[in-house]
Amino acid sequence: MAQRVVFLDRDGVLNRAFPEGGTTRPPMTLDELELLPGVPAALERLRAAGFARVVVTNQPDVARGKQTRAAVEAINAKMCAELPLTDLFACYHDTADRCDCRKPKPGMLLAAAAKWDLDLPAAFLIGDRWSDVAAAAAAGCRGVLIDTPFSSPERCSPDHTAADITAAVDWVLKTAAAEATGRTAAR
Ligand SMILES: [Mg+2]
Ligand SMILES: [Zn+2]
């Protein structure tokens, strides 16, 4: 049976992103990697509820020459070691590369679904940008937007908006539980 999953954006959802020039930038080094409050507990709640936890992250600074792929991979490896994550998919391209993986395209979600036998219609994504929510919609998943000054909510249609990962997971678990109850009642 296909498994339930919550996809998670990385920067601004799991770890702190740094405001710079009207947008945000990711941590450049392991020293800058700082988990946001409530992240380990939120992921543990998803694990306990039977959801796979899969990170899907755009890292265009590699294509832009602002960061090395090795530096990004070191940060990703540390996050996977410290947090209860199932897997992590990263796109190292920029828009001009026209790849299939850079969000708002759904390529990373579809690759994860094929690898882990994920139930996309039952899936959720938690992200902090319109492109995260748009990628979720393109893959047939529900999208939860963590609203920040950089989210551009007018460019997407989130199923829910939350202040942080704790509130986002509250909604995901409440919604999934209501669906499970509905299925039981329909039998
Ligand atoms: Mg982000
Ligand atoms: Zn890509």
Side-chain angles (χ1 to χ4, degrees):
M1 197 172 101
Q3 57 174 332
R4 298 190 302 172
V5 61
V6 176
F7 294 107
L8 301 133
D9 175 47
R10 196 192 81 171
D11 303 310
V13 173
L14 301 180
N15 59 277
R16 191 153 87 90
F18 301 87
E20 188 176 276
T23 180
T24 60
R25 66 164 178 85
M28 300 302 284
T29 62
L30 285 176
D31 284 346
E32 283 191 339
L33 175 57
E34 179 189 333
L35 295 181
L36 290 170
V39 166
L43 292 174
E44 179 55 31
R45 288 168 69 205
L46 293 176
R47 190 199 62 74
F51 282 94
R53 291 84 48 210
V54 176
V55 178
V56 287
T57 178
N58 285 355
Q59 296 297 329
D61 282 354
V62 174
R64 293 169 187 165
K66 291 164 68 180
Q67 193 176 29
T68 65
R69 181 161 170 158
V72 178
E73 287 177 343
I75 289 169
N76 292 344
K78 187 168 186 201
M79 297 188 80
C80 288
E82 292 188 352
L83 293 171
L85 297 171
T86 306
D87 207 347
L88 181 150
F89 290 73
C91 166
Y92 296 103
H93 309 109
D94 201 353
T95 307
D97 296 318
R98 299 176 178 274
C99 66
D100 292 324
C101 38
R102 179 166 162 77
K103 297 174 287 186
K105 289 187 179 168
M108 290 190 283
L109 287 71
L110 301 180
K115 179 177 177 181
W116 293 100
D117 188 23
L118 304 176
D119 184 352
L120 289 175
F124 298 86
L125 176 144
I126 301 171
D128 70 336
R129 295 288 174 96
W130 72 272
S131 50
D132 297 314
V133 172
C141 309
R142 274 76 57 89
V144 182
L145 184 67
I146 294 180
D147 203 5
T148 78
F150 309 101
S151 295
S152 302
E154 71 284 357
R155 297 184 69 181
C156 64
S157 301
D159 293 275
H160 187 69
T161 300
D164 57 24
I165 192 171
T166 301
V169 167
D170 285 345
W171 183 81
V172 165
L173 293 180
K174 189 181 72 179
T175 302
E179 287 170 359
T181 304
R183 278 199 300 277
T184 304
R187 267 182 206 141

